[in-house]
Structure formats: structure tokens, C-alpha cells
Amino acid sequence: MGVDFFYGREGATKRQREFKLADERFKLYGGAIGGGKSWALCAEVLRLSFEFAGNRAFMCRDESKSFKETTLVTLLSLINEIENILGQKVLIAHNKSDNVIKLFNGSQILYGGLDSRDGHDKVKSMELGCFAVDEASECGQSDIDMLESRLRWRLPNGKHPNFFGLYASNPEPCYIKERFVLPQAQGCKEENRIFIQALPSDNNWLPDDYIKHISQGKPDYWVKRYIQGSWDAAEGQIWPQFDYNIHVFPNQQNLFEIPRADGYSYPTIFACCDFGQTNPTAFLGCYVDRDGNIFVFDEYYSPGLVSAHSRNIRLRFDINQFSYMVADPSIWRVAGEKNGRAWSVADEFSDNGIYFVRAENAVDAGINRVGEYLAVDPKRVNPVTGKMGSPKLFISARCFNLIKEIPEYQWTTNRGKEDAREKPIKRADHAVDALRYGIMSRPSTEVTKPKPSVDSFNYLRDSMANSRMLNEIDTAMEM
């Protein structure tokens, strides 16, 4: 197989070839630094410009200045390398004031930024055959939505090219993660979208010591995010123990699906709720197995009135299966009057057949308790894989909002005050608050543990360990 000259003399990496061959209209490439993101974007825009004579492409970052200082340099370098390989001119004209590159076959590559009013208005009037957004996490969602609506260019021959929207991004908590990364990880990606992860370890053309050099002196979250490509790692993350491939099922490494509680017999089935009217109400269904592991098997997440919440929760869950349901203590505050007596949100839920008990709302203790359940105990048997090393909390991929909120739940610091201490940032925390209430209703992992059930993983493990110990004692006495 010959070298793909669109990627220069060294050709494409394995991941870049996957990016090239993917048929989805909207493709995200990257997920770490050094994976060859910008090079792949430039190569694929040039490929589409060569393949469809008279095509029209738009390349951008959020800021025009940043694009010109980074991606444009890569694009021009790649064009120069292709010209050297082919032995002919490819770039016919480059109008730097209008930000337009004209190629030999009539195709054009427009470029710029999306951050200014002019840039936004320019995109609204464009008709494109393809576009490429570098560092897409920097751009506003409305700008991206507008770009995706611009794919309607007609070629000089009257036909349409193959339309593509290409993205490159480092792992950042944003709409890019929600549109590409999470749905694909949960096995429910949109038909026309794909995420192809590329790490520095996938890039054959980097210096041998590149990863070691850039990792030195960096904090753990930075290495996890920018070297290992984790979309969950963040500075100030409250639960850095969270790992999608350990705590969420199914995932890309294990297709086991956490069953709903319906029709199953578990020692304890419970629910936990954080109420919102303008903000979403989050309601989580959980059960506990015989080893004390907690499985969050489904969620309800929506703003609205208590009557709507009650109706929809009943549709999604068999509430009669719950041993108890805990909720934010604030719903017991008197909010008005009904039938001549004080009335609260808790009363309104009760009127609709949903009976909550007050949750323990000690924030710091709750955060610590959830962290205990997320932590991997190397001596604990994993109830899903059967292998040693396991947390005590597992979450179904059905719980989209809980999975989204956990890695984005971060600390802030009250600086300038005598009692300055870290507190959670109050944003998008409805599902994690519900989780905290639920976990606080369970024992700490540090308390004395009861003897495991005879049909549990840990019982078998302990029995085997005790048997080996007794055999060793018997052998020693015989000697």
C-alpha cells in the first residue's frame, strides 16, 4: 500500500486512517495532545478539496488570530509538502485579507474565527461542502449548530459533494463531549456522528521521549486528561476516583448491562431524589446486593411541577419495590397553604402517592461517603467481572445525566475569608446531590462489616482464604 500523500511523506497513523475511512457525516478526532489532530483535519479538508473539483471548505477555530497562528501554519506546511511529493503546484492563490485559499481545481478553502460578530454573520450566509473546526471545545454551541446547517454546497457540475463536518478537540467538559463522546461510550451514538480517540501513544511520528517529557511535573488530572485522553479528569474534581470503564456498565471494555430492579429480588431497593421545579428534579433508582455493592439502575431527570414529576416517576419506576425513598430535606419547608394547613413540596408528593423520608444533607460527609464507595478496594471481588479489585458503586449507562455530572462536580475556594474552605461549585449538581443523599442512607465502607452471605463473591473468597490458613496450621502442628 502506498503512502497517503494527503498526510505528507510519512503518511497517516492508524487512528488517522480510521478518521479518514469513517462514513459518518460529523466526525470528532482527538482527545489528547500530540495525537495529530490538526494534521488530520488539514489532510481531510485537502482530500475533499481534491476529490470534488470546485468544492468549498471552511476551516476555523474560535478566534481567527489563533487559527492563523496554529492550524493555518499546519495547513500551508502540508500543502507545501504535497506539492513537493507531486512535483506540481497545488495552491494557486492565497488572499490573506479575505482569508481564502484557491486550489488548482477550482476548490476553495475559506478560514477564520467564530468569536466575532462578523465571523458569526459570515457563517450564517455560507454554503459549504465541508467544514473543519480545530479545538472545537473553545467554540460556542450555537456557532457549531449554525455551521452544521451550512452543508449544502453545489459543485460546478450541478452535483453535491460528500458532505462532512470535521472536529478536533482536547478533552473538555462541553457539548462536544455530550454529542460525541458520552453517547458513543454508552452504546447509543447518533447514526451520523463518530468519535475517534487519538492519544500521543498512537502517533508514530512523535519523538521517543515526548510523553515522558511533557508529563514531568504535571498534576495527575492533567496527565489523565491530556495524555491519557480522559474526558472525565478535571482540575479540582471532587471525585477523581470516578472512571467510566470501572463504574459504568456497559462500557467500551465490558458489555454487561446493569439490570433494572423490576422482577428481581435484592436485599434492599431504594430511591433518592433532589427536587427542582425550574431546575431539574433528579430521581435515582438503586439496589444493594448481598455484598453491599450499590447499583444505580435508572434515573428520571426533568424540570417541572410535582404532579408531572410524580406521574413520570411512576411511569419509569415501580415505586412499590422501594424499601424507602430519601429526598432533599428542603422539600419539607412550608411553601404555602392547602385546605387550611401549612403545605410543603413533600406534602404535594405525598398527595400524589410518593412518600419520601428526609435525607441526611451533611455535604462534606456525603461527598466523603460517595468517594468511599467509588474507591477501588484491591482486596474486593468485582461483582461484574469476578476479578479482584472493585469499588462498591456501579452505575447503569441509562443514567446519562448522573454520568455527565460526576466528573464535572468540582471544588471552588472561598478566598479572602478567615474560614475559607473548599465547597462544591453550585452548577449542574442535581443528580450528584441525589446520589449523595442515597449513599448517605447506606453504611460507611469503614464500619465493621457483617459476615458475607453464603452465596456472595466475598464469602467464597474469605472461605478459601480461611481454608488455606487452616491447612497451613494443620501442617505446622503435624511437624
Short mmCIF file of all heavy atoms in Angstrom, two decimals, residues 49-79:
data_model
loop_
_atom_site.label_atom_id
_atom_site.label_comp_id
_atom_site.label_asym_id
_atom_site.label_seq_id
_atom_site.Cartn_x
_atom_site.Cartn_y
_atom_site.Cartn_z
N SER A 49 -11.18 18.55 -0.99
CA SER A 49 -11.00 19.62 -1.97
C SER A 49 -10.43 19.08 -3.29
O SER A 49 -10.78 19.56 -4.37
CB SER A 49 -10.06 20.70 -1.41
OG SER A 49 -10.60 21.29 -0.24
N PHE A 50 -9.56 18.07 -3.20
CA PHE A 50 -9.02 17.43 -4.40
C PHE A 50 -10.08 16.55 -5.07
O PHE A 50 -10.23 16.54 -6.29
CB PHE A 50 -7.82 16.55 -4.03
CG PHE A 50 -6.51 17.28 -3.96
CD1 PHE A 50 -6.36 18.43 -3.21
CD2 PHE A 50 -5.40 16.79 -4.63
CE1 PHE A 50 -5.15 19.10 -3.13
CE2 PHE A 50 -4.18 17.44 -4.57
CZ PHE A 50 -4.05 18.61 -3.81
N GLU A 51 -10.78 15.78 -4.26
CA GLU A 51 -11.71 14.77 -4.77
C GLU A 51 -12.90 15.39 -5.51
O GLU A 51 -13.39 14.83 -6.50
CB GLU A 51 -12.20 13.89 -3.62
CG GLU A 51 -13.09 12.74 -4.06
CD GLU A 51 -13.48 11.84 -2.90
OE1 GLU A 51 -12.90 11.98 -1.79
OE2 GLU A 51 -14.37 10.99 -3.10
N PHE A 52 -13.37 16.54 -5.01
CA PHE A 52 -14.53 17.20 -5.61
C PHE A 52 -14.10 18.57 -6.14
O PHE A 52 -14.00 19.54 -5.37
CB PHE A 52 -15.65 17.35 -4.57
CG PHE A 52 -16.14 16.04 -4.03
CD1 PHE A 52 -15.69 15.57 -2.80
CD2 PHE A 52 -17.03 15.26 -4.76
CE1 PHE A 52 -16.12 14.36 -2.30
CE2 PHE A 52 -17.47 14.04 -4.26
CZ PHE A 52 -17.02 13.59 -3.03
N ALA A 53 -13.83 18.62 -7.45
CA ALA A 53 -13.40 19.88 -8.07
C ALA A 53 -14.47 20.95 -7.87
O ALA A 53 -15.66 20.71 -8.08
CB ALA A 53 -13.13 19.67 -9.56
N GLY A 54 -14.02 22.12 -7.45
CA GLY A 54 -14.96 23.21 -7.20
C GLY A 54 -15.62 23.15 -5.85
O GLY A 54 -16.61 23.85 -5.60
N ASN A 55 -15.09 22.32 -4.95
CA ASN A 55 -15.65 22.21 -3.60
C ASN A 55 -15.35 23.48 -2.80
O ASN A 55 -14.48 24.28 -3.16
CB ASN A 55 -15.07 21.00 -2.88
CG ASN A 55 -15.99 20.47 -1.78
OD1 ASN A 55 -17.03 21.05 -1.49
ND2 ASN A 55 -15.60 19.35 -1.19
N ARG A 56 -16.08 23.65 -1.72
CA ARG A 56 -15.89 24.84 -0.87
C ARG A 56 -15.84 24.40 0.59
O ARG A 56 -16.80 23.82 1.10
CB ARG A 56 -17.04 25.82 -1.07
CG ARG A 56 -16.75 27.22 -0.52
CD ARG A 56 -17.96 28.09 -0.72
NE ARG A 56 -17.64 29.51 -0.68
CZ ARG A 56 -18.46 30.45 -0.25
NH1 ARG A 56 -19.67 30.13 0.19
NH2 ARG A 56 -18.11 31.71 -0.26
N ALA A 57 -14.71 24.66 1.25
CA ALA A 57 -14.49 24.25 2.63
C ALA A 57 -14.30 25.49 3.51
O ALA A 57 -13.87 26.54 3.04
CB ALA A 57 -13.27 23.35 2.74
N PHE A 58 -14.60 25.32 4.79
CA PHE A 58 -14.35 26.37 5.78
C PHE A 58 -13.62 25.75 6.95
O PHE A 58 -14.07 24.75 7.53
CB PHE A 58 -15.64 27.01 6.24
CG PHE A 58 -15.46 28.08 7.30
CD1 PHE A 58 -14.70 29.20 7.05
CD2 PHE A 58 -16.06 27.95 8.56
CE1 PHE A 58 -14.53 30.19 8.02
CE2 PHE A 58 -15.91 28.93 9.53
CZ PHE A 58 -15.13 30.06 9.26
N MET A 59 -12.45 26.33 7.31
CA MET A 59 -11.68 25.87 8.46
C MET A 59 -11.60 26.99 9.48
O MET A 59 -11.44 28.16 9.12
CB MET A 59 -10.27 25.46 8.03
CG MET A 59 -10.22 24.31 7.05
SD MET A 59 -8.52 23.70 6.77
CE MET A 59 -8.19 22.91 8.36
N CYS A 60 -11.69 26.64 10.77
CA CYS A 60 -11.74 27.70 11.79
C CYS A 60 -11.34 27.19 13.15
O CYS A 60 -11.22 25.98 13.40
CB CYS A 60 -13.15 28.28 11.85
SG CYS A 60 -14.40 27.12 12.44
N ARG A 61 -11.08 28.15 14.04
CA ARG A 61 -11.08 27.98 15.48
C ARG A 61 -12.02 29.04 16.03
O ARG A 61 -12.62 29.81 15.26
CB ARG A 61 -9.67 28.15 16.06
CG ARG A 61 -8.77 26.95 15.87
CD ARG A 61 -7.42 27.11 16.55
NE ARG A 61 -7.55 27.23 18.01
CZ ARG A 61 -6.53 27.13 18.86
NH1 ARG A 61 -5.30 26.93 18.40
NH2 ARG A 61 -6.72 27.26 20.16
N ASP A 62 -12.13 29.11 17.33
CA ASP A 62 -12.98 30.14 17.90
C ASP A 62 -12.44 31.53 17.55
O ASP A 62 -13.18 32.41 17.14
CB ASP A 62 -13.07 29.97 19.42
CG ASP A 62 -14.07 30.93 20.05
OD1 ASP A 62 -15.19 31.04 19.54
OD2 ASP A 62 -13.70 31.60 21.04
N GLU A 63 -11.13 31.73 17.70
CA GLU A 63 -10.50 33.01 17.40
C GLU A 63 -9.74 32.92 16.08
O GLU A 63 -8.95 31.99 15.87
CB GLU A 63 -9.53 33.42 18.51
CG GLU A 63 -10.21 33.70 19.85
CD GLU A 63 -9.20 34.14 20.89
OE1 GLU A 63 -7.98 34.07 20.62
OE2 GLU A 63 -9.63 34.55 21.99
N SER A 64 -9.96 33.90 15.21
CA SER A 64 -9.27 33.93 13.93
C SER A 64 -7.75 34.02 14.12
O SER A 64 -6.98 33.35 13.42
CB SER A 64 -9.76 35.12 13.10
OG SER A 64 -9.09 35.20 11.87
N LYS A 65 -7.31 34.83 15.08
CA LYS A 65 -5.87 35.01 15.33
C LYS A 65 -5.24 33.67 15.72
O LYS A 65 -4.16 33.31 15.25
CB LYS A 65 -5.66 36.04 16.44
CG LYS A 65 -4.21 36.36 16.74
CD LYS A 65 -4.13 37.51 17.75
CE LYS A 65 -2.68 37.91 18.03
NZ LYS A 65 -1.97 36.89 18.81
N SER A 66 -5.91 32.91 16.57
CA SER A 66 -5.39 31.61 17.00
C SER A 66 -5.30 30.65 15.82
O SER A 66 -4.33 29.89 15.69
CB SER A 66 -6.28 31.01 18.09
OG SER A 66 -6.27 31.81 19.25
N PHE A 67 -6.30 30.69 14.95
CA PHE A 67 -6.27 29.81 13.78
C PHE A 67 -5.07 30.13 12.89
O PHE A 67 -4.35 29.22 12.45
CB PHE A 67 -7.56 29.93 12.96
CG PHE A 67 -7.58 29.05 11.75
CD1 PHE A 67 -8.05 27.75 11.84
CD2 PHE A 67 -7.11 29.50 10.53
CE1 PHE A 67 -8.04 26.91 10.73
CE2 PHE A 67 -7.10 28.68 9.42
CZ PHE A 67 -7.57 27.38 9.51
N LYS A 68 -4.85 31.42 12.65
CA LYS A 68 -3.75 31.81 11.76
C LYS A 68 -2.38 31.45 12.35
O LYS A 68 -1.44 31.17 11.62
CB LYS A 68 -3.82 33.31 11.48
CG LYS A 68 -5.03 33.71 10.64
CD LYS A 68 -5.10 35.22 10.45
CE LYS A 68 -6.31 35.61 9.61
NZ LYS A 68 -6.42 37.08 9.43
N GLU A 69 -2.28 31.46 13.68
CA GLU A 69 -1.01 31.17 14.32
C GLU A 69 -0.75 29.68 14.49
O GLU A 69 0.37 29.27 14.78
CB GLU A 69 -0.95 31.86 15.69
CG GLU A 69 -0.90 33.38 15.61
CD GLU A 69 -0.99 34.03 16.98
OE1 GLU A 69 -1.32 33.32 17.95
OE2 GLU A 69 -0.74 35.24 17.07
N THR A 70 -1.77 28.85 14.32
CA THR A 70 -1.62 27.41 14.57
C THR A 70 -2.05 26.57 13.37
O THR A 70 -1.21 26.11 12.59
CB THR A 70 -2.43 27.00 15.82
OG1 THR A 70 -3.81 27.39 15.64
CG2 THR A 70 -1.88 27.67 17.07
N THR A 71 -3.35 26.40 13.20
CA THR A 71 -3.86 25.48 12.18
C THR A 71 -3.50 25.92 10.77
O THR A 71 -3.19 25.07 9.91
CB THR A 71 -5.38 25.33 12.32
OG1 THR A 71 -5.74 25.21 13.69
CG2 THR A 71 -5.88 24.10 11.57
N LEU A 72 -3.54 27.20 10.51
CA LEU A 72 -3.19 27.69 9.17
C LEU A 72 -1.73 27.36 8.84
O LEU A 72 -1.40 27.00 7.69
CB LEU A 72 -3.44 29.19 9.06
CG LEU A 72 -3.10 29.82 7.71
CD1 LEU A 72 -3.92 29.19 6.58
CD2 LEU A 72 -3.31 31.33 7.74
N VAL A 73 -0.86 27.48 9.83
CA VAL A 73 0.56 27.13 9.62
C VAL A 73 0.68 25.66 9.23
O VAL A 73 1.43 25.30 8.31
CB VAL A 73 1.38 27.42 10.90
CG1 VAL A 73 2.82 26.94 10.74
CG2 VAL A 73 1.35 28.91 11.22
N THR A 74 -0.08 24.80 9.91
CA THR A 74 -0.08 23.37 9.59
C THR A 74 -0.61 23.12 8.19
O THR A 74 -0.05 22.33 7.42
CB THR A 74 -0.93 22.59 10.62
OG1 THR A 74 -0.41 22.81 11.93
CG2 THR A 74 -0.94 21.10 10.32
N LEU A 75 -1.71 23.81 7.83
CA LEU A 75 -2.31 23.64 6.51
C LEU A 75 -1.34 24.02 5.39
O LEU A 75 -1.15 23.27 4.42
CB LEU A 75 -3.59 24.47 6.41
CG LEU A 75 -4.30 24.47 5.06
CD1 LEU A 75 -4.80 23.07 4.72
CD2 LEU A 75 -5.46 25.47 5.06
N LEU A 76 -0.71 25.16 5.52
CA LEU A 76 0.22 25.63 4.48
C LEU A 76 1.45 24.72 4.40
O LEU A 76 1.98 24.47 3.31
CB LEU A 76 0.63 27.08 4.75
CG LEU A 76 -0.52 28.10 4.66
CD1 LEU A 76 -0.02 29.48 5.07
CD2 LEU A 76 -1.10 28.14 3.25
N SER A 77 1.91 24.24 5.54
CA SER A 77 3.04 23.32 5.56
C SER A 77 2.70 22.02 4.84
O SER A 77 3.51 21.48 4.07
CB SER A 77 3.45 23.02 7.01
OG SER A 77 4.45 22.03 7.08
N LEU A 78 1.48 21.52 5.08
CA LEU A 78 1.06 20.28 4.44
C LEU A 78 0.88 20.48 2.93
O LEU A 78 1.27 19.61 2.14
CB LEU A 78 -0.25 19.80 5.07
CG LEU A 78 -0.80 18.45 4.57
CD1 LEU A 78 0.24 17.35 4.66
CD2 LEU A 78 -2.06 18.07 5.35
N ILE A 79 0.32 21.61 2.53
CA ILE A 79 0.19 21.90 1.10
C ILE A 79 1.56 21.92 0.43
O ILE A 79 1.76 21.35 -0.66
CB ILE A 79 -0.55 23.24 0.88
CG1 ILE A 79 -2.03 23.10 1.26
CG2 ILE A 79 -0.42 23.70 -0.57
CD1 ILE A 79 -2.80 24.42 1.22
#
